[in-house]
Amino acid sequence: VQLQASGGGLVQAGGSLRLSCAASVSVDDVGWYRQAPGKQRDLVARITRDGMTNYADFVAGRFTISRDNAKNTVDLQMNSLKPEDTAVYYCSALVPMGWGSRRPYWGQGTLVTVSS
């Protein structure tokens, strides 16, 4: 199972970026997380296979998570970016393993830098 995160880069405050997480297999819940230097990894947004979403308070209204189950991709549209959004962003997916069990997998991370 592989998760490939992409779309990070350098953007000015107020700008937008779109991150994409591509899975090599069909996955269930997918979450985008972020980790700034010296800080813990935090959940940013999560989406279930059926499309139910939840967001961290610090991104609600600015970020939108979506998925395309046919392509095994989950995107994170980030608008109105702030310098404090600077972090490495990771995607994580729950992969069905059979017999009702699921296992989490992580992508490699993509760096988002927001300049003031």
Side-chain angles (χ1 to χ4, degrees):
V1 177
Q2 291 185 331
L3 296 178
Q4 182 72 39
S6 62
L10 174 63
V11 64
Q12 289 188 331
S16 299
L17 281 175
R18 189 176 184 89
L19 306 183
S20 184
C21 178
S24 59
V25 298
S26 178
V27 297
D28 287 342
D29 299 6
V30 176
W32 278 100
Y33 296 75
R34 72 185 189 187
Q35 187 168 21
K39 295 189 177 181
Q40 66 181 20
R41 189 173 297 186
D42 293 323
L43 175 67
V44 174
R46 180 190 292 121
I47 187 167
T48 68
R49 178 184 287 274
D50 294 334
M52 294 182 63
T53 61
N54 65 283
Y55 297 90
D57 289 343
F58 53 78
V59 302
R62 299 188 296 126
F63 293 8
T64 302
I65 191 170
S66 61
R67 67 187 295 161
D68 184 333
N69 290 336
K71 297 180 179 179
N72 295 331
T73 58
V74 172
D75 290 349
L76 183 70
Q77 177 66 42
M78 306 186 296
N79 299 328
S80 302
L81 283 162
K82 305 174 181 179
E84 52 264 43
D85 294 319
T86 295
V88 177
Y89 284 70
Y90 299 88
C91 62
S92 178
L94 288 176
V95 178
M97 304 302 290
W99 300 101
S101 69
R102 300 190 299 180
R103 175 182 172 183
Y105 285 83
W106 288 87
Q108 84 286 5
T110 184
L111 177 62
V112 172
T113 303
V114 184
S115 62
S116 57

